[in-house]
Amino acid sequence: MSSLSVIAGPITLADRYQAIRSFTDRIAKPLTNEDCMIQSMPDASPTRWHMAHSTWFFETFILAERPGYREFDPQFRYLFNSYYNSVGNQYPRAQRGLISRPGQQRTVEYRQYVDEQMLDFLSNNSISDQLEHTISVGLNHEQQHQELMLTDIKHAFFCNPLLPAYDADGQLNRGQMFDSDWVNFSGRICEVGHDGTGFAFDNESPRHRVLLEDFSLATQPVNCREYMDFIRDGGYERPDHWLSMGWAAVQQQGWRAPLYWYEQDNQWMVYTSAGPTAVCDSWPVCHVSYFEADAFARWAGYRLPTEFEWEAGCPEQPSDQFADLLLDKNAAIHPTGQGAQENQLAQMLGGVWEWTSSSYSAYPRYTPPNGAIGEYNGKFMCNQYVSRGGSVATSQNHIRRTYRNFFPPEARWQFSGIRLAR
Amino acid sequence: MSSLSVIAGPITLADRYQAIRSFTDRIAKPLTNEDCMIQSMPDASPTRWHMAHSTWFFETFILAERPGYREFDPQFRYLFNSYYNSVGNQYPRAQRGLISRPGQQRTVEYRQYVDEQMLDFLSNNSISDQLEHTISVGLNHEQQHQELMLTDIKHAFFCNPLLPAYDADGQLNRGQMFDSDWVNFSGRICEVGHDGTGFAFDNESPRHRVLLEDFSLATQPVNCREYMDFIRDGGYERPDHWLSMGWAAVQQQGWRAPLYWYEQDNQWMVYTSAGPTAVCDSWPVCHVSYFEADAFARWAGYRLPTEFEWEAGCPEQPSDQFADLLLDKNAAIHPTGQGAQENQLAQMLGGVWEWTSSSYSAYPRYTPPNGAIGEYNGKFMCNQYVSRGGSVATSQNHIRRTYRNFFPPEARWQFSGIRLAR
Amino acid sequence: MSSLSVIAGPITLADRYQAIRSFTDRIAKPLTNEDCMIQSMPDASPTRWHMAHSTWFFETFILAERPGYREFDPQFRYLFNSYYNSVGNQYPRAQRGLISRPGQQRTVEYRQYVDEQMLDFLSNNSISDQLEHTISVGLNHEQQHQELMLTDIKHAFFCNPLLPAYDADGQLNRGQMFDSDWVNFSGRICEVGHDGTGFAFDNESPRHRVLLEDFSLATQPVNCREYMDFIRDGGYERPDHWLSMGWAAVQQQGWRAPLYWYEQDNQWMVYTSAGPTAVCDSWPVCHVSYFEADAFARWAGYRLPTEFEWEAGCPEQPSDQFADLLLDKNAAIHPTGQGAQENQLAQMLGGVWEWTSSSYSAYPRYTPPNGAIGEYNGKFMCNQYVSRGGSVATSQNHIRRTYRNFFPPEARWQFSGIRLAR
Amino acid sequence: MSSLSVIAGPITLADRYQAIRSFTDRIAKPLTNEDCMIQSMPDASPTRWHMAHSTWFFETFILAERPGYREFDPQFRYLFNSYYNSVGNQYPRAQRGLISRPGQQRTVEYRQYVDEQMLDFLSNNSISDQLEHTISVGLNHEQQHQELMLTDIKHAFFCNPLLPAYDADGQLNRGQMFDSDWVNFSGRICEVGHDGTGFAFDNESPRHRVLLEDFSLATQPVNCREYMDFIRDGGYERPDHWLSMGWAAVQQQGWRAPLYWYEQDNQWMVYTSAGPTAVCDSWPVCHVSYFEADAFARWAGYRLPTEFEWEAGCPEQPSDQFADLLLDKNAAIHPTGQGAQENQLAQMLGGVWEWTSSSYSAYPRYTPPNGAIGEYNGKFMCNQYVSRGGSVATSQNHIRRTYRNFFPPEARWQFSGIRLAR
């Protein structure tokens, strides 16, 4: 039975807790203890750090508030704090790969200790709404780190000339090629942001009105054939397609294709969770930066949608291109467009994160929550761009139409792709 | 008679050309040939480079298009190109301070040569609307560089431990202290952007509708007394006031006050165009970054306005805190709030650029102009924040309510200040 | 029976091979697979990389030359090449910590495979002098990497705020405090360098004449009490003690004591292989750079010896402060001066590497060996300084009076100390 | 009458003072005030800074010691201190190009003021030996800065794409091509270092004995034809010729020829003080780093001499390739080998500095002078290599056989060349 089905039923908070926590272990399963150590760049973290930090979150924000709680190891408070100044100083982010101890075994014990305490707590107490919300933040936080576990280990393995596969047996469907079409939307004042039903992060609120003019969205995300046309047409060689900062990135970092693409015998290859394979025309292009998404759109004569156009246009219907579903059926963690349909908006939820033209900023009258949790989102609202819709590395029950992801415009190691607007 | 009055009358394009071009010389007048050489950081340029580059603009985009035009020096095409890829390669920006030749004398000759050719051309030809627009772009471009001449030389002089004054005789009024109040605006759909009357840059168009909710603007920009309260209250020591990137800037660059402020005998001093002086309580604070403006607003319990709130709220009435007016009356180029009035929106046009919370991005359906001029604005729409209203380093006839200035959030060497909203 | 005793007898090349190879495993024994992954700075390498690279040496320079030899894994030729351009390109040095696969298990298999092949080869062939020499280079090369394994893991663990011990049970003797005295030597022409008996590296040859004037050497290396006097006297605060580059290092890197020293409750603590402990007065100071050795000597009114004074003065008698001896008796890998004697030159061989004032350069008429082995030493003869005598991290049978070690003047992570001359 | 002839006669200290000080002005004569501002890299300084700093030396070390002396400007003590910690803090070296004030005019006044005071002092006082020595240090110090003025402005002009000439009329002789031969020297104990007659820097003392074995020196410095052979033979493409650090420099800095060489229409061009010209076969190669000199020697099958071989082999007879002589006869400041002779050691004094294999270190029993003057040489004895013999940018009466110049092994902007030994 899939982890998703477990979650889909009428379930308790404890059930949810267990399902999400165990999915972290599921992701780590194909990895050796040594794989779990690697930090290949400051933006990425070791698998083990993700496992410990997501546990730290529950220990620090739930358990440590309980009278009589005994910390698993008092030094972890410092070691596994990511960026919460209110909690105290932090071990330098770029040096997370230097921590061999606590080792994998002790990290697993840490997770088990906290899980036992959490489940005991959830069973024997009535949980206030406020507390339930904090726990939900912790679970959604863990799901975010699950996505990072997948993207970070991919980046780490790609630094190894042996190109080890996360799961060499993961199936890679060739998918089906559809021509993209346009779906038109009429201008209007509409409400965007979280409507209060179910969990959402603080950055999705307050729900507010925005004015949209007429716009159209492409039915399909940009596929690899279209992106190869861009490359062949000199996309990476002509500055006029690019933002000035984007062109600087192209030159300084030597970009000439999406991350994980390389040429071999005149064939574009791509490194996936199942190892290297030939690029498939019909697949959505992914691992492109905002700069590349923007340049492609300009080259194509269109533009990226704003995050509100995207939200207004997004159908409720998710795709099946999500991490939990893919792992359940032994598929590779790679966007193949599987299940897309012609002539309608497809793959907006799942597959690839879709860059929007919107700079990441606070919604009107936004105020961060009080306390350390207030450091979760608000302080990062600068020089980042919003992407929407989740990806093959996201869990299906983690995403929603109002969900706002955000990365600097040069970031490429997420499963980020392109949907055009006009 | 002030340069402004010359411009204010019913004037020809040639008059405007002469008035603006000669104001560049006016700004350079107090400087030695050697002063005109300094480049104190990659973001700033030598005075002389500004003088040559603004001339290069007319030569490249107007004169060189004329049959039979003979370039003053063919190598200048490369040497004084700032960032126009369509025009060709560019001399590295960070090395502009290494160019001693052409020297000041030859640079002045270059200006004279181009001026003669331009005036001859303007006198003897009927100028198409398209051409008039390009010339207007050139003149507004030159006014932008006039502002940079003033801000760049200030930065350069401040690197010299002798702290030379741009104009030691420039008068510094103490101004008058007003308590700030709020002016309320009702929510509505309103139109923003250039309405087509008179000159505007491409980034001010297309005019379009935005939805504003109720908002209020402070009548006065934040003054130095208020800002010193922020400092005294640990403003630069507490991360919770700051965006994460802002806090990193505070620590890495050792910020503890606005740029050009330093402590001496327990007194905050500020370096101005007239040299060092004690900080005056009533003056608008300036030379703060977006990060500082944002942190101050959070500390104060308010926020920055969006650029559209700012534009909707801005009265037509300019202040008299502009570069051309100040130089005309031998005043220092420093915002003193002179001429502000109580109980009404004051100093929005002139004084200090006011940071808005708006990321710099394209207006809906914006397309950059064709050709090299298209590189003017669009390609910089990334990781910058909009400021509005002009400053003491702007010419009065260069500013308007729809004018969008933009700088990276860490930039402090412009005369940028803070107006609160709520 | 100690590994040394095994080696000391009349032994075959195969015996030597086995003894030295197994000592590598002995050093790695207290470490987890994850410990073996860490690379804490570009100058250091992961334990596992040392284990693989020293194996690569035998595979590449001995086995791969044999007809019919089948490489364990052809990709290792690239992956574990350190700096031999003649062998091909090299995986970037600073990224050795990113290689989780081959993992520890496979690395051990690699060692076993090569060991079997080597021992088979040594048993069934008559070994030419040339070949025996190359194998000896390989064994001495492995001993050098054994020392680096100890120094590199120490550096790595010190980056972990938990300060894990390499061997928490390693005994740390307090040693005995002797006042240092001088031993005088008369000037003369003497021969230095390897005399041809037994193994030596190419950089110890050709043996040649040097002219020495009268000199004296201190009987004991500088101890921690003396070094604390230097610190207390403002040693790290006064530029006049320091070379200009040394003073820059003090300021840029914030040096105020030897590496691994830190203050706690007004007590100097030192991190050792057995974990943190209070600094002991009588111990030789170690983990000082050439810059610190030079500054200390200047402060003390003396100087460092030249490498030839050192070699001419060094008695044949080694101390018992060597890695193999210490590990055999469960002592910490830390110089304690144990076994030193009063009134005579003590501890020159073993304990701490002793910085000399000699820049590392070729002996007259030196030519590097032909082929890839020629890249071993010669190409590093630039901007490094010679240290002599071996340390607690060296094997006793690896050292000799003519042995030349060399490091950049800012290097501190080796067990390097100070012997004064005058 | 040449400045040299003035100096050559039986002259007073005041005469010497005037002759050397006025030669500084002679060097600056072809430069505009703006040229005198440029600092093109941290290792180089603006012309004006050299003019002020050499003046500062006399003011600080001679005049300021006199009772009643009134400083020209007290702030200059800080502004023009190069690296004398004993004198106080220093303005950051890399920012010398930001100082437009004091301008050229005031700098000239500073020189005049100090000259008047110095000449007055020299006329009206009996000068102790100690004082005369300090003044001589000041004069030799100024001559060193004269050389740097020539090398630094060359580097600065080369950053300008217009490639302005220092003196476009400077004559460039084609010289005469001689085959190089060897002159043999027998091994012996010989004395090196300053013998006490006339002025010498502290680093040339104490005179001491060294043991030389048999050696030979090439009669001519390596010429451009030979160096082009090295280039054509893949000199810059094969790592086996190079020290490891040298090869890193080749790759990181993209070296493929000496500094100031560039290819144009399949012809090697070289930028000289008279502007660009075709490389001439017979000219000594110059502007090569120690790394290049070492690689060339290895490629050629020879080696660089030690500094003591060089000193022992050097004839007393200078060439006429010196800055003062060349400027007197309107020749370019460029080594042409003019005046060399066949079959004998030629051009050792003058022409190009000749890299030796000797690391720059203290002579035995060297102690730096007391006081600030002690910071002159000793503290730089690290990671630098000795070159000998002076160059076309040196004054003839500044050089001697015992003179030790020193630069980091990657430095190329001095007139440094190669003489082979074996």
Side-chain angles (χ1 to χ4, degrees), chain C residues 373-400:
Chain C
I373 293 280
E375 297 188 55
Y376 201 94
N377 273 312
K379 73 181 181 182
F380 300 111
M381 290 171 172
C382 184
N383 286 9
Q384 311 220 44
Y385 285 81
V386 173
S387 62
R388 293 287 195 123
S391 80
V392 290
T394 315
S395 283
Q396 195 188 35
N397 71 341
H398 180 66
I399 203 66
R400 59 201 156 264

Side-chain angles (χ1 to χ4, degrees), chain D residues 129-161:
Chain D
D129 283 358
Q130 170 60 35
L131 208 50
E132 174 162 358
H133 178 72
T134 305
I135 293 167
S136 288
V137 170
L139 292 173
N140 279 275
H141 170 261
E142 181 135 358
Q143 289 183 306
Q144 293 181 314
H145 281 278
Q146 288 165 358
E147 175 144 11
L148 292 172
M149 287 167 75
L150 288 165
T151 57
D152 293 1
I153 195 67
K154 183 174 184 179
H155 190 271
F157 278 159
F158 193 63
C159 295
N160 187 332

Side-chain angles (χ1 to χ4, degrees), chain D residues 198-302:
Chain D
F199 177 81
F201 281 115
D202 59 338
N203 64 3
E204 300 168 52
S205 291
R207 187 163 173 86
H208 64 287
R209 301 189 304 160
V210 293
L211 174 61
L212 299 179
E213 306 288 353
D214 296 350
F215 69 98
S216 309
L217 293 177
T219 51
Q220 312 288 338
V222 170
N223 65 37
C224 291
R225 188 181 61 190
E226 294 163 324
Y227 203 83
M228 285 188 281
D229 286 344
F230 169 67
I231 296 175
R232 252 192 305 273
D233 193 39
Y236 286 89
E237 290 145 34
R238 290 177 45 193
D240 50 318
H241 299 320
W242 297 80
L243 287 165
S244 179
M245 287 181 68
W247 182 242
V250 167
Q251 294 181 292
Q252 282 160 21
Q253 307 190 29
W255 291 349
R256 50 190 292 270
L259 180 61
Y260 300 126
W261 286 33
Y262 58 97
E263 260 184 319
Q264 196 174 276
D265 306 331
N266 290 315
Q267 159 77 48
W268 280 112
M269 300 294 289
V270 58
Y271 172 73
T272 74
S273 70
T277 186
V279 166
C280 179
D281 281 2
S282 63
W283 290 348
V285 69
C286 75
H287 295 299
V288 293
S289 62
Y290 172 79
F291 291 134
E292 287 160 300
D294 168 83
F296 179 90
R298 190 170 295 114
W299 169 82
Y302 301 110

Side-chain angles (χ1 to χ4, degrees), chain B residues 57 77 98 150 180 192 220 273 389 404:
Chain B
F57 191 101
R77 169 167 284 250
L98 305 185
L150 287 166
S180 193
V192 293
Q220 312 288 338
S273 71
R404 306 173 81 199

